[in-house]
Amino acid sequence: MRCLATLFYIPLQRIILLPMKTILAGLLLSILLSLSPGLAQVVITSPAYPTDSDSCTLIYDAAQGNGELKNVAPPLYAHTGVITNLSTAPSDWKYVVADWNVNIPKIQLTPLGNNLYQLKFKPSVRNYYGVPAAEVIKKMAFVFRNADGSKVGRNSDGSDIFVDIYPDELSVNLVLPSNRDLYLKQGTPISVRAVSPAATQMRLLVNGTEVKSVTGQELTDTLPADNFGADWTRHTVKVIATSGALSVADSFAYTIIPPATVADLPAGLQDGINYPDSATAALVLYAPYKDHVFVIGDFNDWKPERDHYMNVTPDGNRYWLMIGGLTPGQEYIFQYLVDGTLRIGDPYADKVSDPDDQYITAATYPGLKAYPAGKTTGIATYLQPGQEPYAWNTTPFTPPPATDLVIYELLLRDFTAAHDFQSLIDTMDYLKSLGINAIELMPVMEFEGNLSWGYNPNFSFAVDKYYGQKNDLKRLVEEAHLRGMAIILDIVCNHHFGSSPLVRLYWDAANSRPAANSPWFNPVPKHPYNVGYDFNHETPFTRQYMRRLLSYWLEEFHVDGFRFDLSKGFTQKNSYPDDVSLWGQYDASRINILTDYVMALHAVNPNAYAIMEHFADNSEEQVLSSRNMLLWGNLNGNYNEATMGWNAGGKSDFSWISYVKRGWSDPHVVGYMESHDEERLSFKNIAYGNAAVSPWYNVKDTGTSLKRLELAANFFFTIPGPKMIWQFGELGYDYSINSNGGRLAPK
């Protein structure tokens, strides 16, 4: 779970006088905006300041926050619990109403139109969650999701959503600023907002001097940050709420910081984490247009400090810092604090610390450090000076010729019960016995959540810990090579998701998309079927990032090549949102982009495979083939029509799997009857097979279906060129792709 209590509350008394189900969604949205001009809120509540005994209504705006549920068809559900006085951290939710992906009416949201949804807590907040009377409810906690949990609505920074629950007695809640320890430049405006539902008067004091007093339950103001003649000095801002003889207070502090020291980047450093020696880390963050950056982490108790204030290069593009005195071999968790509010991990880190790590068992990842809950928010990253290099086996490995590849595509999450690299190593002899000479792993780079296909990446240089440790992956590659088998990684270079530091560094919060000045991303995708946020592959910054990414996995992990997911998306020719025909037309720029990347990986390993999931016009694929690229050849529909016993209109024609039929000079079609994306042959045979051939021959019969799959294999493997099968296809896997709760759900 992620945590950041950054909600704004608006009185809704005027709204709840109307029957909510009869209010037109457009009118409701207009009312909300009129009550809060300029604020893009994720949720609001009625009453605005709920207590645990109140009946409460919550409205969720799916277009706000990270926007992942915007325009997603209902039903949507709330994953919700509470933070109480017994919670040990913001991630320690109590009394969670239902487990993830358990769809019950109690947590189903009522759609109001215009991406607005409603959830009611009756007869009271305490009763809804079933919290004992002796336990104090401090906050309601939320993330929202679609029915199968493949899309999740959170705050714009990827954190969980919290709603404060107020006590019945006098209290004060300092809503803004959300950070209680600010480091600011002189004159920076500080927005202050405090709420005290039972107060009669509220006062605002700076360093003990009153600057504002109001009658009522809410105080707002904007203070200019003043150093009062001294940089790096803490100044205290306090809000006091009173009712009769009673008073309560809350406060925050700010420190004025000078401009960053301008200094050239030391020679030999590159973006990311560098280790000049076994006790030093040199951190470099590419962040043009930003004002200042601190490094926060284990080594300074997550507090911005003068000693960890980053230098800036003369061109203003990079922030850098040398951190010495570290313990060799020790892991440290850290983040960059950018412009006082944005907390991100290092985009080039090889290991991340995520609130979701709590769901990874010690059997999968022994010795995993706990996420620093209560110290920071969002995803953090690791540094570790003095690491012992992996001792690679020196036995030479010659990968199979591309034309002879027999690839086994698998999703590690679903292939073995243990879902880890070691369990795949234990299974390699079985794969070898099938005649497999290459294993293609669906993405193992760090992705959002744990239960994923991996096409929602956020830190592409890190191994996802749900599958094990990075050295476990290296050992897997080594064991495959000892058996004469290549390892191919499915890599996602079309997009990143919202928790990516590259996305978050340049974010247009008003429009919930990458900002126009992002060095890496298009604000609006350039092609149909885009997911996440679309990389602009024509910028030099994206090109540099991708070349380094490809080199890293080849050099650090000794993998033998890549399957490029959604390679047709590496374009700036605009076909968004739905011109699929234009998207697939010959694109000289896209050809040049892909050629550049393939040249980069071949500069590292001339034998590395470059497999494209392209599906563009044959004229373009023919050029890519001539430039030593392999291309996916999907013949699922044709082979499945044959295995089901149908051939109307020549649907069972297999000829397009042949490079000769396509007019190519080289056998570079990676033909397949199944991949992770297609419905399973065996399932469709049994569900839709021809049962009317004769009284004694029925394709829907399991035995007959399997025989027909065997026959299809004879019409498949005998065609020259590389081939691929999907996991368990050799067994006639007959579970639907949509089984067990949906397409992306664990199988």
Side-chain angles (χ1 to χ4, degrees):
M1 299 298 179
R2 299 177 177 85
C3 149
L4 188 64
T6 56
L7 301 178
F8 304 92
Y9 301 112
I10 302 172
L12 288 183
Q13 285 83 350
R14 285 174 285 169
I15 294 177
I16 62 171
L17 294 175
L18 299 173
M20 292 297 287
K21 290 186 179 179
T22 66
I23 296 177
L24 294 175
L27 175 60
L28 178 58
L29 184 59
S30 299
I31 294 172
L32 298 182
L33 293 176
S34 70
L35 290 171
S36 181
L39 290 181
Q41 299 180 100
V42 184
V43 299
I44 55 177
T45 63
S46 172
Y49 315 125
T51 69
D52 63 359
S53 60
D54 284 330
S55 175
C56 178
T57 297
L58 176 140
I59 294 176
Y60 165 58
D61 187 347
Q64 303 305 327
N66 67 352
E68 193 169 314
L69 292 174
K70 181 179 179 181
N71 297 327
V72 172
L76 299 186
Y77 295 87
H79 183 61
T80 182
V82 292
I83 302 299
T84 77
N85 61 311
L86 300 183
S87 296
T88 58
S91 59
D92 186 15
W93 293 16
K94 305 294 186 183
Y95 306 101
V96 175
V97 176
D99 290 338
W100 190 258
N101 273 6
V102 175
N103 300 333
I104 60 175
K106 186 174 181 178
I107 55 172
Q108 184 172 342
L109 304 179
T110 301
L112 302 173
N114 285 354
N115 283 301
L116 298 178
Y117 292 83
Q118 175 183 279
L119 184 63
K120 293 190 175 183
F121 303 86
K122 291 186 172 182
S124 70
V125 171
R126 182 173 295 278
N127 181 273
Y128 179 89
Y129 289 102
V131 182
E135 199 164 345
V136 179
I137 304 175
K138 294 185 174 182
K139 299 176 186 291
M140 294 191 291
F142 300 91
V143 294
F144 300 95
R145 60 174 176 81
N146 62 348
D148 65 7
S150 60
K151 293 184 178 295
V152 181
R154 289 187 163 103
N155 283 321
S156 59
D157 66 349
S159 62
D160 297 340
I161 299 164
F162 290 86
V163 172
D164 287 316
I165 300 299
Y166 292 82
D168 291 322
E169 66 272 11
L170 180 65
S171 66
V172 62
N173 179 28
L174 193 58
V175 180
L176 287 177
S178 57
N179 186 350
R180 300 302 180 91
D181 196 6
L182 299 171
Y183 285 74
L184 307 169
K185 292 296 184 70
Q186 172 76 13
T188 304
I190 307 173
S191 295
V192 180
R193 184 169 184 266
V195 173
S196 181
T200 56
Q201 184 186 33
M202 300 183 70
R203 301 161 57 217
L204 180 65
L205 295 83
V206 178
N207 291 338
T209 301
E210 184 176 304
V211 297
K212 187 172 185 177
S213 177
V214 299
T215 300
Q217 294 79 43
E218 185 172 340
L219 183 149
T220 61
D221 202 1
T222 300
L223 300 174
D226 193 336
N227 67 357
F228 301 102
D231 291 340
W232 298 106
T233 300
R234 284 171 58 88
H235 305 285
T236 301
V237 180
K238 180 182 289 187
V239 176
I240 301 175
T242 60
S243 177
L246 299 176
S247 66
V248 292
D250 202 354
S251 65
F252 69 92
Y254 70 87
T255 301
I256 298 298
I257 57 174
T261 299
V262 177
D264 289 325
L265 189 69
L269 299 189
Q270 60 180 345
D271 293 344
I273 306 169
N274 305 263
Y275 298 111
D277 59 58
S278 63
T280 303
L283 305 180
V284 182
L285 179 67
Y286 181 78
Y289 323 123
K290 300 303 179 182
D291 186 75
H292 62 276
V293 184
F294 284 91
V295 180
I296 56 175
D298 293 342
F299 35 77
N300 57 21
D301 197 30
W302 297 91
K303 293 180 173 60
E305 294 180 342
R306 186 184 306 197
D307 290 345
H308 294 100
Y309 188 38
M310 300 188 81
N311 305 295
V312 64
T313 54
D315 60 8
N317 287 338
R318 286 177 170 82
Y319 291 84
W320 65 271
L321 184 69
M322 294 279 191
I323 303 177
L326 302 174
T327 302
Q330 181 174 325
E331 291 186 323
Y332 298 86
I333 303 176
F334 78 101
Q335 287 175 316
Y336 300 109
L337 177 61
V338 182
D339 290 352
T341 57
L342 177 64
R343 295 167 183 250
I344 59 169
D346 191 290
Y348 297 91
D350 64 2
K351 185 175 177 180
V352 308
S353 181
D354 189 316
D356 287 339
D357 290 351
Q358 63 184 305
Y359 305 113
I360 297 176
T361 66
T364 300
Y365 202 111
L368 181 61
K369 291 182 67 172
Y371 175 78
K375 297 286 188 179
T376 191
T377 59
I379 298 175
T381 44
Y382 283 77
L383 60 84
Q384 185 185 16
Q387 296 181 50
E388 290 291 332
Y390 185 81
W392 287 95
N393 187 299
T394 57
T395 303
F397 172 69
T398 302
T403 55
D404 297 340
L405 283 173
V406 182
I407 302 168
Y408 194 92
E409 185 194 19
L410 64 86
L411 172 60
L412 189 52
R413 181 196 72 183
D414 295 345
F415 185 65
T416 67
H419 62 74
D420 60 18
F421 297 120
Q422 183 58 51
S423 61
L424 180 55
I425 293 172
D426 297 339
T427 315
M428 278 188 179
D429 288 338
Y430 164 73
L431 297 179
K432 178 70 175 178
S433 72
L434 296 177
I436 300 300
N437 60 15
I439 299 171
E440 182 178 307
L441 299 174
M442 286 175 67
V444 296
M445 301 79 179
E446 189 70 45
F447 47 77
E448 293 188 344
N450 291 323
L451 300 178
S452 171
W453 276 9
Y455 297 112
N456 53 337
N458 50 10
F459 287 82
S460 292
F461 285 76
V463 174
D464 197 283
K465 301 184 300 300
Y466 190 70
Y467 297 145
Q469 303 180 61
K470 64 181 181 181
N471 282 353
D472 295 336
L473 176 57
K474 293 177 181 180
R475 189 158 47 251
L476 185 153
V477 173
E478 190 172 66
E479 291 292 337
H481 287 175
L482 291 173
R483 293 166 173 80
M485 302 165 71
I487 293 293
I488 300 168
L489 296 184
D490 196 337
I491 195 166
V492 184
C493 299
N494 176 78
H495 57 270
H496 263 192
F497 267 57
S499 60
S500 162
L502 299 181
V503 173
R504 296 184 63 216
L505 258 176
Y506 300 92
W507 182 250
D508 178 356
N511 294 296
S512 295
R513 67 190 189 190
N517 65 346
S518 171
W520 303 284
F521 295 95
N522 292 309
V524 177
K526 293 296 184 181
H527 61 86
Y529 300 121
N530 183 76
V531 294
Y533 300 104
D534 184 32
F535 274 109
N536 178 354
H537 288 272
E538 290 186 358
T539 74
F541 313 104
T542 298
R543 292 284 190 96
Q544 182 274 338
Y545 174 83
M546 294 301 171
R547 292 190 200 102
R548 184 170 164 190
L549 179 66
L550 298 172
S551 298
Y552 168 76
W553 288 98
L554 289 172
E555 294 175 330
E556 182 70 18
F557 291 88
H558 294 193
V559 300
D560 303 292
F562 304 97
R563 178 263 191 189
F564 289 83
D565 177 65
L566 203 57
S567 59
K568 190 165 57 177
F570 298 13
T571 179
Q572 288 300 105
K573 180 191 290 185
N574 189 31
S575 56
Y576 183 82
D578 56 9
D579 195 338
V580 178
S581 175
L582 175 61
W583 184 30
Q585 291 176 12
Y586 188 94
D587 186 339
S589 171
R590 181 167 57 203
I591 292 173
N592 292 335
I593 290 167
L594 291 170
T595 301
D596 180 45
Y597 292 156
V598 171
M599 289 176 64
L601 68 92
H602 283 161
V604 178
N605 179 358
N607 296 317
Y609 309 116
I611 305 172
M612 305 296 155
E613 185 204 22
H614 212 62
F615 306 128
D617 286 358
N618 189 54
S619 59
E620 181 172 331
E621 294 203 351
Q622 188 173 20
V623 173
L624 298 178
S625 170
S626 70
R627 297 187 181 184
N628 207 22
M629 299 180 214
L630 308 178
L631 296 106
W632 261 23
N634 180 6
L635 266 289
N636 170 264
N638 303 69
Y639 277 99
N640 211 174
E641 287 295 317
T643 63
M644 289 188 295
W646 309 112
N647 192 31
K651 291 181 179 178
S652 298
D653 182 358
F654 307 149
S655 61
W656 196 243
I657 205 172
S658 168
Y659 76 99
V660 177
K661 178 70 173 180
R662 299 180 183 219
W664 300 3
S665 300
D666 303 291
H668 286 166
V669 181
V670 180
Y672 60 86
M673 297 188 291
E674 289 179 324
S675 77
H676 66 267
D677 269 331
E678 278 76 45
E679 185 58 275
R680 314 306 175 209
L681 298 178
S682 186
F683 171 80
K684 289 186 69 174
N685 283 2
I686 295 170
Y688 309 113
N690 190 343
V693 178
S694 73
W696 50 269
Y697 191 89
N698 183 351
V699 175
K700 293 185 177 182
D701 175 77
T702 299
T704 303
S705 169
L706 291 172
K707 288 294 184 183
R708 296 188 68 83
L709 293 177
E710 291 177 12
L711 181 59
N714 281 278
F715 284 105
F716 173 68
F717 287 109
T718 52
I719 298 175
K723 297 290 180 291
M724 185 184 78
I725 64 174
W726 167 244
Q727 65 184 25
F728 307 132
E730 74 278 12
L731 301 176
Y733 189 70
D734 58 356
Y735 286 82
S736 170
I737 192 174
N738 296 312
S739 64
N740 198 37
R743 181 182 181 87
L744 303 179
K747 303 289 189 293

